[in-house]
Structures are given as structure tokens and as C-alpha cells.
Amino acid sequence: MGQQPYRVGIGYDLHRLEAGRPLLLGGVKVPHARGLAGHSDADVVLHAVADALLGAAALGDIGELFPETDPRWAGADSRGLLAEVYRRVVEAGWVPVNLDIVVHAQSHRLGPHKPDMRATIGELTGLSADRVSVKAKSGEGLGPVGKGEAIACHAVVLLAPAGDSAVLDR
Ligand code: MG
């Protein structure tokens, strides 16, 4: 059996909310009293997107590429991490076709920030904003997300071979 032309990948991440940290979601600063805690800048959206890309290309995961034990990634800008992941995916012969993202956050009004998030994520993954979907769900008051203790994110990506003319025609 030959190589199948398309590859799908899923990414998931969750970070704790903590006072005194900026809140970065999809590379965009969202005004809020608390931000996400983590070794890097803890951008849960960009981490989920990076893992979806790595998963689709079977290139490992973000924890393997940028270990939390490595001081190089302390406070790292996740835009740089995602750019490096994208570079590796392209090097492996793939191009993203589209991204679908679900942000799970209880008390954050993300609507006004979605256009910026879509544009920023698109710039980092070689996609126009109309191929990047960002949806938001509340936690219905339940669990760590619903109680406002954490923000989580799911991302799904489709990859096509870099030489696929149907994809290049966009
Ligand atoms: Mg993370």
C-alpha cells in the first residue's frame, strides 16, 4: 500500500491559572487578572497547535523537543517554539491545510481576541486566517476549567504533502 496523501494530528494542553502572570492565548495577550503558569510563557493554545502538528507528522511531542528541565526554554516565547515545530514539519515534507482549535476557559471573553489569534497562529503555521478556526467553550462551572483554575485547549490539524498541487493552489 502506498503512502496515504493526508495526515491528521491532535494536540491537547492544559495550564494552571496563577496571579501575577500575563495571559497569552494563541500568541495574543488577553487582559486578565491571572495568567497561565508554566516553564515557558505557558501559551496553552500554541502548545496544543504545536502538538497537533508534531502528531500529524509523527515527529514526537512538544515535551520531547523543548523539555521543561532545560533552562533554555524557561520563560520561552511559545511563538518561537511553534515556529520551530512548523519548520520541522515542513522539513519533513508536509504543509498544513487547516487548523481547528477549541479553547476551554470559564471566565474569559475570547470573542474580541479571536481575529488576532487566528492571524497570529496562521502566520506561524503558513496558513491564511480563513484556514484557522478558533472556538471557545466554558467549563460550565465544572472541573478545573469551570472553576477558573485552568485553561485547556484542543487542536486538530490536517497536513498534506508539500508537493500536493491542490494545496499549493490556495
Ligand atoms: Mg504546555
Side-chain angles (χ1 to χ4, degrees):
M1 197 172 85
Q3 286 273 88
Q4 294 299 309
Y6 293 97
R7 301 277 285 265
V8 69
I10 184 169
Y12 169 77
D13 198 18
L14 175 147
H15 281 266
R16 205 161 28 83
L17 279 160
E18 200 173 272
R21 298 262 305 182
L23 178 58
L24 288 157
L25 292 174
V28 174
K29 205 168 191 171
V30 176
H32 193 66
R34 292 179 300 155
L36 294 172
H39 186 60
S40 67
D41 66 9
D43 190 323
V44 68
V45 177
L46 297 191
H47 293 182
V49 169
D51 258 355
L53 286 164
L54 290 170
L59 290 174
D61 65 49
I62 195 172
E64 291 170 15
L65 260 59
F66 313 108
E68 293 203 350
T69 48
D70 190 332
R72 268 186 303 169
W73 314 120
D77 183 334
S78 295
R79 290 175 299 183
L81 306 187
L82 180 54
E84 171 60 15
V85 164
Y86 174 66
R87 192 191 65 75
R88 290 184 188 218
V89 166
V90 169
E91 194 177 68
W94 300 103
V95 290
V97 176
N98 74 301
L99 266 164
D100 194 11
I101 298 162
V102 184
V103 185
H104 306 267
Q106 180 62 27
S107 63
H108 304 76
R109 291 175 42 79
L110 296 183
H113 304 287
K114 283 181 186 170
D116 272 2
M117 290 169 66
R118 294 172 66 196
T120 302
I121 295 162
E123 278 167 27
L124 293 166
T125 55
L127 289 168
S128 53
D130 65 344
R131 287 173 181 254
V132 181
S133 157
V134 176
K135 311 194 291 280
K137 298 295 277 186
S138 85
E140 293 284 345
L142 299 168
V145 169
K147 293 185 184 352
E149 296 165 356
I151 294 179
C153 183
H154 282 101
V156 172
V157 69
L158 186 70
L159 298 182
D164 187 330
S165 62
V167 174
L168 294 175
D169 268 358
R170 57 198 172 143

